[in-house]
Amino acid sequence: AQRVTQPEKLLSVFKGAPVELKCNYSYSGSPELFWYVQYSRQRLQLLLRHISRESIKGFTADLNKGETSFHLKKPFAQEEDSAMYYCALSNRDDKIIFGKGTRLHILP
Amino acid sequence: EADIYQTPRYLVIGTGKKITLECSQTMGHDKMYWYQQDPGMELHLIHYSYGVNSTEKGDLSSESTVSRIRTEHFPLTLESARPSHTSQYLCASSEWGVETEAFFGQGTRLTVV
């Protein structure tokens, strides 16, 4: 079964501290993985995708096939990072499956 | 400007009424999706489409139906609304390819009283 697991519903981090949002997946094939973000009163939008291997707004994510993980990291949290973050998987049927989401709250 | 539009943004309606949530995109995308976002913010795929005359049910069973008569239009219909249908509904579209980005509309917040 295809599944995306985000174990933390809420993560509170102090400004300037490192951030790690966890994501594990279950998929028999070779997955395409993404992180989407939803800021307050804004649309859900793509943050980054693993195939691009890029850093967006200071965030990076590395696909670890051995651990079936795609954790999102940022070395120094900023207040504007407060948002809802979703890990997502795109399968060979072109369906996009989302995790339950993690609310990141940056404390001043 | 290329975008994806959902109307209405908010809808409060009585039990038993038929409703249609509209979704249109001017991005030229073949793939379109409907997600239901519950109060805990979890996203559930309820319908998707690969193109005109293609519709598939998603992972979450839904009493709603969809149609795809035109590439740009993917409406969702509830024949008889119930309070259990109260939720946020998100429409999205994307190009072909598993690595492509999905673009989301603003959502429709439906309340059935």
Side-chain angles (χ1 to χ4, degrees), chain B residues 15 21-22 29 32 34 45 47-48 54 66 70 85 88 92 94 98 102 106:
Chain B
T15 298
L21 307 185
E22 301 289 349
H29 291 162
M32 295 189 75
W34 275 104
L45 179 65
H47 298 284
Y48 60 103
S54 155
V66 293
R70 301 197 322 259
H85 296 139
Q88 165 102 320
S94 70
V98 294
Q106 293 273 36

Side-chain angles (χ1 to χ4, degrees), chain A residues 20-89:
Chain A
E20 183 177 46
L21 299 172
K22 290 184 167 43
C23 173
N24 288 89
Y25 65 90
S26 171
Y27 182 58
S28 57
S30 188
E32 296 294 334
L33 287 155
F34 308 81
W35 277 98
Y36 282 80
V37 62
Q38 190 168 28
Y39 300 103
S40 178
R41 289 184 291 278
Q42 291 189 29
R43 302 186 193 195
L44 189 61
Q45 58 188 287
L46 179 71
L47 178 63
L48 56 79
R49 68 194 94 184
H50 97 267
I51 198 169
S52 301
R53 298 183 180 276
E54 56 198 346
S55 173
I56 303 292
K57 299 185 178 183
F59 284 99
T60 58
D62 290 319
L63 177 62
N64 185 323
K65 291 187 178 181
E67 295 182 358
T68 60
S69 69
F70 188 56
H71 303 327
L72 183 69
K73 300 178 184 180
K74 183 170 182 176
F76 308 103
Q78 297 172 284
E79 287 191 58
E80 54 264 35
D81 296 330
S82 292
M84 194 77 182
Y85 290 80
Y86 294 92
C87 184
L89 176 153

Side-chain angles (χ1 to χ4, degrees), chain A residues 36 43 86 93-94 96-97, chain B residues 3 35 37 41 50 59 102:
Chain A
Y36 282 80
R43 302 186 193 195
Y86 294 92
D93 294 326
D94 285 345
I96 306 175
I97 307 299
Chain B
D3 205 346
Y35 289 88
Q37 189 173 31
M41 302 295 280
Y50 294 134
D59 299 322

